[in-house]
Amino acid sequence: MLEKTLSIIKPDAVKAGYSGKIIAILEENGFEIKAMKKIKLTKKQAEGFYIVHKDRPFYDSLTTFMSSGSIIVMVLEKENAIADYRELMGATDPSNAKPGTIRALYAKNIEENAVHGSDSKESTDFEIPYFFSALEIL
Ligand code: GDP
């Protein structure tokens, strides 16, 4: 099924200059970029995005990190995009990520792990409109 998913290049990877390389990997793997923008979240906006993690011990640290610098937010489209992009990202902790995945290549640690990707259809239904209006998506 043709699906859309939300991708974020996180502040660590943008700062390190990996954005172009990550976007190239996405395109090489058949993901079409349907919308894209570079923005900087406020702490409150990062907290809103990660609200599902509000009771986790790393919530404050994660949302401080996610509002610490520019990010690149994209809507990607492909057959089976949600699961395929999760596979291409690799495990949350880069020390467990399969060789060749984006996190194996570019993540610094379990928090500063280069990229975000929606984990389900329910997540995309929340995450895509969090950043993009229908008019901004091709
Ligand atoms: P994801 O779906 O692979 O991004 O992982 P999760 O949904 O479990 O966590 C969301 C984000 O929180 C991760 O991508 C990391 O940036 C961060 N995170 C997850 N687990 C930890 C942790 O144990 N410690 C810290 N500091 N951050 C974490």
Side-chain angles (χ1 to χ4, degrees), residues 1 26 31 41 69 86 88 96 117 124:
M1 193 180 48
L26 297 174
F31 291 90
L41 294 177
R86 297 284 300 179
L88 187 60
N96 299 326
T124 63

Side-chain angles (χ1 to χ4, degrees), residues 10 50 53 56 58 61-62 86 92 103 110-111 113:
K10 295 185 178 184
Y50 280 113
H53 292 314
R56 307 282 282 276
F58 55 82
S61 172
L62 171 63
R86 297 284 300 179
T92 309
R103 282 168 166 168
I110 194 170
E111 180 170 276
N113 59 2

Side-chain angles (χ1 to χ4, degrees), residues 43-115:
K43 172 87 158 128
K44 285 253 173 311
Q45 289 168 335
E47 286 169 0
F49 180 70
Y50 280 113
I51 195 73
V52 292
H53 292 314
K54 68 176 173 7
D55 298 324
R56 307 282 282 276
F58 55 82
Y59 182 61
D60 185 60
S61 172
L62 171 63
T63 54
T64 296
F65 160 59
M66 286 301 289
S67 56
S68 69
S70 301
I71 59 173
I72 294 173
V73 192
M74 289 171 275
V75 176
L76 305 177
E77 188 175 81
K78 184 185 174 297
E79 288 290 319
N80 205 33
I82 298 171
D84 284 4
Y85 177 50
R86 297 284 300 179
E87 181 73 25
L88 187 60
M89 283 199 309
T92 309
D93 182 345
S95 60
N96 299 326
K98 282 190 205 145
T101 60
I102 295 171
R103 282 168 166 168
L105 289 166
Y106 300 120
K108 278 166 74 175
N109 54 53
I110 194 170
E111 180 170 276
E112 300 192 25
N113 59 2
V115 282

